[in-house]
Amino acid sequence: MTARHRLLVARPVPSAVAEAAAARFDATLADHNLSGEEVIEICRSQRIGGLLMGGNLKLDAATIAALPQTVRVIATTSIGWDHVDAAAAEARGITVTNVPDIGPECAADIAFMHILMCCRRAVEYDRLMRDGWGRRLGFDEMLGRRVSKRRIGIVGMGQIGRMVARRALAFDMEVHFTDLRPPASTVEGATFHATLDDLLPLAEVLTLHLPDVPATRGLIGAAQLARLPKGAILINAARGTLVDQDALIAALTSGHLFAAGLDTFADEPRVDPRLRAMTNVSLTPHAGSATVETREGICLRCLDNIDAVLSGRPAINPVNRQPIVAG
């Protein structure tokens, strides 16, 4: 009987995925999010060939250098792979794969959920009701903002950005966008702007869909926030590093921003207590892909990528053939 490929799943996964991994591989399944040191030790002691991991685990060049020669493929459960030094892995002969085409609609959903929550003051209404309500609101009290007819500015027109654009058009929003470079494809009805500075004054809602790369870190700071219309809303469901958090808090405190919706943060999983205290900020725990269908589909694709490489076939989603994107 041919020995099965050895797999390490370095994070807890849905039960259906655990069952599939055990059926297809000689699998070691973690019951907690493994550290880099734990991954190195298990890979060495068990001669692991394939590693399934997520964005919670950072594999820098030093960690990759410490992996044994048996490791041939690293499959991350995310669209983006900024948490893996793919160049260091490639130099070691290790294939890195991602999952670029499963779940972007769910990431777009959570971004648009934040748009609705911010415009319609959902956090404040929810807290009011949980506190007992007790009296009818005045006709001019706690008024939100209409979503339809509002101008949305999308920064990053990859898969997720395009899906947000289509949702915005369905809500009869006026869609404007920019990107790091002119996009290969766009959405009919969306207007392209060559620079972020051109886009900002138009964006009553600004939503970010870019990766964490040197060119995007701190992209939205005090100067950029000041260029937004007074009363604008900022949505960040991409990477916490895109936004200067102190500048964001200052803009919210001053009233220049009406609200913010955040699914990603600068120092995850810690959230600045100033943001947690604000009732005009909606917060979710980096949960864009957190649906049963998406999480199972993502992990099963990772297993397919690992099986392909360990069986001598090309990976389905090797990152060295893809542009860097968020997710």
Side-chain angles (χ1 to χ4, degrees):
M1 180 177 178
T2 304
R4 295 194 297 173
H5 300 301
R6 293 187 176 179
L7 166 72
L8 171 59
V9 179
R11 68 186 313 175
V13 292
S15 56
V17 177
E19 291 169 6
R24 297 174 61 180
F25 299 88
D26 181 358
T28 298
L29 303 169
D31 60 3
H32 65 283
N33 289 323
L34 298 182
S35 67
E37 292 77 11
E38 289 174 309
V39 166
I40 292 167
E41 174 58 30
I42 294 171
C43 287
R44 286 176 175 174
S45 64
Q46 300 190 26
R47 299 184 60 78
I48 295 296
L51 171 63
L52 188 156
M53 59 169 288
N56 58 291
L57 178 61
K58 309 299 182 184
L59 294 187
D60 57 16
T63 304
I64 289 171
L67 292 173
Q69 293 294 328
T70 56
V71 176
R72 294 167 50 200
V73 55
I74 297 169
T76 182
T77 56
S78 56
I79 298 175
W81 61 90
D82 41 279
H83 50 288
V84 181
D85 191 327
E90 186 175 7
R92 284 282 313 276
I94 299 173
T95 299
V96 178
T97 71
N98 69 334
V99 187
D101 53 358
I102 297 176
E105 66 277 6
C106 291
D109 284 346
I110 208 163
F112 212 86
M113 179 189 80
H114 279 290
I115 293 171
L116 294 170
M117 291 178 70
C118 288
C119 284
R120 297 307 308 271
R121 302 178 74 153
V123 172
E124 295 168 87
Y125 291 163
D126 182 76
R127 292 188 184 184
L128 176 68
M129 299 305 294
R130 292 181 190 279
D131 288 341
W133 194 7
R135 68 174 180 83
R136 292 191 178 277
L137 294 176
F139 196 65
D140 61 346
E141 191 177 359
M142 289 185 72
L143 304 183
R145 303 292 173 90
R146 182 178 66 178
V147 178
S148 63
K149 309 298 182 183
R150 195 160 295 280
R151 292 191 304 272
I152 184 172
I154 300 172
V155 184
M157 205 61 153
Q159 283 190 86
I160 297 170
R162 293 195 299 274
M163 289 180 178
V164 170
R166 286 193 284 269
R167 283 155 176 74
L169 289 167
F171 271 78
D172 201 22
M173 299 182 81
E174 184 180 314
V175 179
H176 300 261
F177 73 97
T178 191
D179 212 329
L180 297 177
R181 61 187 64 84
S185 61
T186 184
V187 173
E188 185 177 353
T191 301
F192 174 65
H193 297 268
T195 70
L196 179 63
D197 280 347
D198 291 341
L199 175 70
L200 290 173
L202 298 171
E204 296 172 301
V205 176
L206 185 73
T207 182
L208 309 178
H209 301 285
L210 290 173
D212 175 16
V213 295
T216 65
R217 290 170 195 156
L219 181 71
I220 305 298
Q224 289 72 36
L225 294 170
R227 288 183 62 79
L228 291 170
K230 182 173 174 55
I233 291 166
L234 175 73
I235 307 296
N236 185 8
R239 290 290 187 269
T241 54
L242 302 181
V243 179
D244 181 326
Q245 191 164 271
D246 288 333
L248 171 61
I249 291 169
L252 289 163
T253 302
S254 72
H256 182 68
L257 291 184
F258 181 71
L262 306 173
D263 187 50
T264 57
F265 305 89
D267 190 25
E268 296 179 11
R270 288 164 290 278
V271 180
D272 192 303
R274 295 173 293 174
L275 290 172
R276 290 191 281 114
M278 291 179 170
T279 57
N280 61 337
V281 178
S282 59
L283 304 167
T284 50
H286 206 145
S289 67
T291 65
V292 171
E293 297 85 356
T294 294
R295 291 284 172 85
E296 289 184 353
I298 283 171
C299 291
L300 292 174
R301 174 64 64 81
C302 285
L303 295 182
D304 290 342
N305 272 302
I306 291 168
D307 183 59
V309 173
L310 296 183
S311 298
R313 303 190 305 275
I316 303 166
N317 307 112
V319 301
N320 62 351
R321 299 180 194 169
Q322 303 172 38
I324 296 175
V325 296

